[in-house]
Amino acid sequence: MTILSAPISHWQLGPLYYDASQRQLADTKQQLYLEPKQHQLLMCLLQTPGQVVSRDTLIMQVWQGRIVSDSAINRAVSILRKAFSRLDNTHNYIETLPKLGYRLQLPPQMVVADVGVSSRLIIRLYRAPVLLVLICLLLVSVAMLWPEPLKHSEEVMLLRLPSVPVTSFNGAEFHISTDSAGTKLLYHRTADNGHNQLWLHNTITKQHQAVSDTLEDARYGRLSPDGSQIAYIRYTNQQCQLMLLHLPEDRFPLQDCPSDSVPQLIWQGDSRALYYRQRTDKTQPYHIFKLSLISGVSRQLTLTAVNYAGEGDIALALSETTQQLAVLRYNTAHSRTLLLLDSESGVVQQQHQINLAVSQLYWHGERLLLVAGSNLYQFAIRQSDMQLVYRAALPINSVTITAEYLYYSSNDSRSDIWRYSRSGGSSLVIDSSRIDSLPRIAPNGSALVFLSNRGGHYQLWQQQPGQQAVVLTELPGEPAFARFSWHPDSSQLVLVKDGAAYTVSVPDGVVRKILPAHSQIAVADWDERGEGLIYSTDRHGDWQLWHYDFSQRAEQLLSVQDGYSGRIWQGQLYYTRYHQDGLWRMNLADGESELLLPELDKINWLNWQLTEGQVLYYQPGNGIYRYDIQTTQQEKLMGQADNFAHHYSVHDNHVYYVKREPAQGDIFRIELSSTNKLQQRQAGN
């Protein structure tokens, strides 16, 4: 018998609520839409509280008696677990009982109400009107349509337009915006104390004026179209607030924001509302919200599928003429989906596939300007046609457009690798004019391998004691970030890139693929004897840890729930989770897990080490620590370094770490006139 949802019923499960009639799982700030299989699975668990639901029962009630594989059941449960984790990563909602089945760990409470009560309940719980729920369902349906492929014009013209510097201060100016009249230009600068400061440039008088104090860390500011207000994010003591500044100095908070979120703010044309992206924490994708400054109500406009594994909606722009909201959704490192939405309802009106690593977008009339690295592209929506129109000397940070000018901030970042020892303090090890990151010292200390983009794109470099750093190898595939770790005998590396795993021999740099891209590997490390790999993947729904044996060429599932990075020592698996802080230990013989180190932050995904029973990890704001598994004692190896980028590696009491250096860059102006080729193309279509 198939379980049907109770009419207009709501379930409370810990801090979460489930609306069975709308298939929506929610907390007080956001909601997710469950696919039918996950809905039926959850209803099966909800209607048998405290009881173990066997796999046979699930097959009968969720799959209607059809023969299904264990992997299909595992995947359905994993996707449902992922939905719970996206809203609340402090509880384990679904318990797995080996050879028995599954049950809910929190007791559910059911509320069945009439239509009037149900409507009020939805408004109270979700802080959004019932109409928005229906719109979100429509949005999900439309989003399932295959995106329209993007056509590249055969005649791509690079416009060599003269640019005029607007700023030339030491350091970098970034995150720029203007008012509609083009008389005020807002930008950010980094003060001597490391805080971001808001500045205004009068484009008529050419004067520059600070509008925020250096005691306040003000980021992601946006000037309102009427030029009278600035919305920005204020960070104080690990807290985040969305602030509104009425020029010249009257400011007040609008709402709190997650400290793990990197916002992007844009104004509605009448300066009465803000659109912004937000995520709960670094494990969740970004979504787009709208905040009314009149009512103070914030509404979520976009949704992603429960099993979506990307960064979410990473950029947005609002058209002043059509009121269309353009949104960039992350697919892979080299592709995006461009969504055109109704700015009020969030209903998707068009989709376009873009095979570029686009990071920002801006409206220019009826066309969009897209930023990818140092390049500025123009995208004609009707023709689904894109052309390269400008190339800056440095990567473009932000763009703003007035009736007469296009302004852009262009700056470059750099980072160096340092070594710390208790006896001698810190010393510079790797120094270049670009980004050097992810240092990995060999277990025997014979070489330091790191990523560097000093060649124009990321490459693997190596430095042996007493020698200059040299290129070890090019990275396979398209240029992008990679992850790697040393073999226990220091002879080779395992490299993870674009979902595939490779070995890289040292010092000759020969690359060999060992697992294909469809493995969807995120993090990989060698097993205890170096005869196989432990890797994480979400190809079955939620994150899982697997072991790959080189000699047998066989894979074995190690953990089912939320495993993201793992190491094996003395027959036990030590691992972190994607959605939750902490280090866990699992006995490989019986599968029993325990929380070993609660204070290990999720930020250690790439960097924590396990060497001879010693766990090395980073405590944000405090430094690098060593934990002894056998004695349970821990000690601080290194205090928090200035501009620490939390990339580190430890060997023989030496800590190799990455330090960010101040960025350099300026704001430039390009005139838009009838002789400007960009303007000619706009007028000719």
Side-chain angles (χ1 to χ4, degrees):
M1 178 181 71
T2 301
I3 292 181
L4 301 177
S5 58
I8 318 181
S9 61
H10 296 81
W11 301 75
Q12 181 173 353
L13 193 60
L16 302 184
Y17 301 88
Y18 187 58
D19 178 359
S21 64
Q22 302 293 340
R23 299 211 301 264
Q24 283 199 323
L25 185 66
D27 60 10
T28 58
K29 295 182 179 179
Q30 61 177 328
Q31 56 273 345
L32 298 174
Y33 174 73
L34 297 188
E35 298 297 332
K37 280 289 184 289
Q38 281 66 50
H39 164 70
Q40 295 283 10
L41 176 59
L42 179 54
M43 292 303 299
C44 189
L45 295 171
L46 285 170
Q47 295 183 357
T48 54
Q51 300 180 28
V52 178
V53 180
S54 68
R55 286 175 172 256
D56 290 340
T57 300
L58 291 179
I59 290 173
M60 291 300 298
Q61 296 182 341
V62 179
W63 281 269
Q64 299 180 341
R66 297 192 302 271
I67 298 176
V68 295
S69 64
D70 287 345
S71 63
I73 299 175
N74 292 341
R75 178 176 174 81
V77 174
S78 293
I79 293 174
L80 182 57
R81 277 198 175 108
K82 190 171 184 179
F84 280 120
S85 296
R86 282 178 58 175
L87 296 174
D88 174 24
N89 59 20
T90 62
H91 295 91
N92 179 19
Y93 283 82
I94 303 176
E95 180 184 10
T96 300
L97 291 90
K99 300 181 181 180
L100 295 177
Y102 306 92
R103 70 180 171 194
L104 290 174
Q105 286 199 321
L106 298 181
Q109 296 179 355
M110 186 178 68
V111 177
V112 180
D114 58 29
V115 174
V117 174
S118 175
S119 298
R120 292 192 297 271
L121 181 63
I122 293 173
I123 292 173
R124 180 173 62 85
L125 297 183
Y126 305 146
R127 299 171 66 185
V130 176
L131 178 60
L132 180 61
V133 176
L134 300 177
I135 289 171
C136 289
L137 293 177
L138 178 60
L139 170 60
V140 173
S141 299
V142 175
M144 293 176 65
L145 299 175
W146 188 258
E148 181 181 346
L150 175 66
K151 298 180 293 184
H152 287 265
S153 172
E154 295 181 359
E155 184 182 355
V156 176
M157 180 176 291
L158 176 63
L159 303 182
R160 301 186 180 276
L161 307 179
S163 60
V164 178
V166 176
T167 62
S168 57
F169 303 113
N170 183 38
E173 294 77 57
F174 47 95
H175 292 322
I176 61 176
S177 58
T178 57
D179 59 353
S180 297
T183 60
K184 296 178 181 178
L185 172 68
L186 177 72
Y187 62 92
H188 298 63
R189 289 179 63 188
T190 303
D192 292 339
N193 63 357
H195 288 173
N196 289 336
Q197 190 177 16
L198 298 173
W199 285 71
L200 271 179
H201 169 63
N202 188 307
T203 61
I204 299 175
T205 66
K206 310 302 181 184
Q207 292 182 333
H208 298 264
Q209 178 186 5
V211 293
S212 71
D213 194 279
T214 57
L215 297 177
E216 178 182 52
D217 194 3
R219 308 184 193 180
Y220 315 111
R222 192 83 174 192
L223 185 63
S224 65
D226 61 13
S228 67
Q229 304 172 91
I230 298 173
Y232 67 97
I233 304 297
R234 179 174 68 184
Y235 290 91
T236 55
N237 299 323
Q238 302 287 329
Q239 292 183 335
C240 171
Q241 282 185 310
L242 174 60
M243 303 292 296
L244 188 63
L245 166 61
H246 287 290
L247 294 172
E249 56 185 23
D250 183 21
R251 69 194 70 212
F252 58 89
L254 294 174
Q255 62 182 30
D256 293 336
C257 50
S259 58
D260 274 348
S261 185
V262 179
Q264 184 181 118
L265 308 172
I266 61 172
W267 283 88
Q268 191 169 275
D270 59 7
S271 302
R272 295 183 177 182
L274 285 167
Y275 294 84
Y276 61 96
R277 72 172 192 177
Q278 185 169 287
R279 65 182 179 187
T280 306
D281 57 50
K282 64 176 70 73
T283 70
Q284 309 300 326
Y286 283 102
H287 293 112
I288 305 302
F289 296 78
K290 180 181 180 181
L291 171 64
S292 170
L293 299 184
I294 306 300
S295 65
V297 174
S298 182
R299 296 190 291 116
Q300 183 175 336
L301 292 183
T302 63
L303 288 173
T304 50
V306 170
N307 59 350
Y308 174 80
E311 296 180 22
D313 302 322
I314 59 174
L316 65 159
L318 181 65
S319 170
E320 293 185 6
T321 56
T322 65
Q323 294 302 301
Q324 268 191 320
L325 189 66
V327 174
L328 275 179
R329 179 164 295 171
Y330 182 95
N331 295 331
T332 68
H334 306 289
S335 71
R336 310 286 188 263
T337 298
L338 171 63
L339 304 173
L340 297 177
L341 316 178
D342 180 276
S343 61
E344 182 61 30
S345 66
V347 172
V348 177
Q349 298 170 334
Q350 292 186 50
Q351 294 191 65
H352 300 271
Q353 189 71 26
I354 299 178
N355 295 318
L356 280 174
V358 179
S359 59
Q360 304 159 55
L361 74 168
Y362 305 88
W363 285 98
H364 186 202
E366 295 184 357
R367 297 191 174 198
L368 284 164
L369 296 179
L370 309 178
V371 176
S374 303
N375 296 332
L376 185 64
Y377 295 87
Q378 184 176 246
F379 179 63
I381 297 171
R382 292 182 182 178
Q383 296 84 4
S384 190
D385 174 78
M386 185 166 63
Q387 294 186 348
L388 177 65
V389 293
Y390 188 73
R391 178 171 290 154
L394 296 175
I396 296 174
N397 168 271
S398 56
V399 172
T400 187
I401 308 167
T402 68
E404 297 181 353
Y405 298 104
L406 181 147
Y407 296 88
Y408 70 91
S409 61
S410 187
N411 49 69
D412 202 8
S413 301
R414 59 174 295 227
S415 61
D416 300 320
I417 298 175
W418 293 67
R419 180 177 60 200
Y420 170 83
S421 63
R422 292 184 174 182
S423 59
S426 292
S427 59
L428 185 61
V429 176
I430 302 295
D431 181 20
S432 76
S433 62
R434 302 300 293 274
I435 297 177
D436 300 312
S437 60
L438 208 64
R440 293 290 181 264
I441 185 70
N444 62 7
S446 61
L448 174 69
V449 174
F450 58 96
L451 283 175
S452 179
N453 68 347
R454 65 183 75 179
H457 56 274
Y458 278 110
Q459 300 166 305
L460 275 180
W461 284 61
Q462 66 173 325
Q463 183 190 59
Q464 296 178 337
Q467 299 183 18
Q468 293 291 325
V470 296
V471 176
L472 174 61
T473 187
E474 295 287 339
L475 297 177
E478 297 187 41
F481 191 80
R483 303 169 178 181
F484 59 96
S485 60
W486 280 97
H487 190 278
D489 67 5
S490 303
S491 66
Q492 59 183 325
L493 307 166
V494 58
L495 170 72
V496 173
K497 188 171 180 296
D498 303 326
Y502 306 82
T503 58
V504 181
S505 59
V506 180
D508 55 24
V510 175
V511 179
R512 183 172 63 92
K513 182 183 287 189
I514 52 177
L515 286 171
H518 62 71
S519 300
Q520 300 178 32
I521 299 173
V523 180
D525 203 349
W526 301 93
D527 61 18
E528 191 171 12
R529 293 191 296 270
E531 298 173 352
L533 295 181
I534 303 167
Y535 72 86
S536 61
T537 177
D538 64 347
R539 64 175 182 256
H540 297 295
D542 204 353
W543 290 102
Q544 297 174 330
L545 284 170
W546 290 72
H547 179 260
Y548 176 75
D549 187 292
F550 282 102
S551 61
Q552 302 294 325
R553 294 186 178 181
E555 294 177 296
Q556 177 187 0
L557 178 64
L558 296 178
S559 73
V560 176
Q561 184 182 345
D562 205 22
Y564 193 67
S565 62
R567 315 281 192 271
I568 291 179
W569 183 64
Q570 293 187 348
Q572 297 192 92
L573 174 68
Y574 295 82
Y575 67 98
T576 66
R577 290 179 172 176
Y578 184 81
H579 296 289
Q580 192 173 355
D581 293 338
L583 179 70
W584 276 259
R585 175 168 58 193
M586 186 178 80
N587 190 316
L588 293 175
D590 58 20
E592 293 295 323
S593 292
E594 62 175 325
L595 178 59
L596 183 67
L597 196 58
E599 57 265 36
L600 194 143
D601 193 276
K602 294 189 293 289
I603 205 170
N604 288 274
W605 284 339
L606 296 179
N607 298 283
W608 73 280
Q609 295 175 233
L610 174 55
T611 305
E612 298 298 325
Q614 306 285 321
V615 177
L616 299 147
Y617 69 99
Y618 168 59
Q619 282 190 6
N622 292 319
I624 307 296
Y625 284 76
R626 176 164 51 201
Y627 172 80
D628 189 294
I629 293 175
Q630 294 179 325
T631 66
T632 71
Q633 300 296 310
Q634 64 179 345
E635 61 173 329
K636 180 185 287 190
L637 291 181
M638 185 185 84
Q640 178 74 39
D642 292 337
N643 300 316
F644 180 64
H646 62 78
H647 286 191
Y648 61 92
S649 180
V650 181
H651 172 70
D652 194 23
N653 289 323
H654 294 289
V655 181
Y656 295 80
Y657 68 95
V658 174
K659 183 178 179 180
R660 290 186 295 266
E661 299 298 329
Q664 294 289 334
D666 296 299
I667 300 172
F668 298 89
R669 184 186 71 215
I670 298 174
E671 185 175 0
L672 299 178
S673 66
S674 58
T675 59
N676 185 291
K677 292 183 180 180
L678 175 60
Q679 190 72 7
Q680 285 179 346
R681 287 186 175 272
Q682 289 280 2
N685 288 278

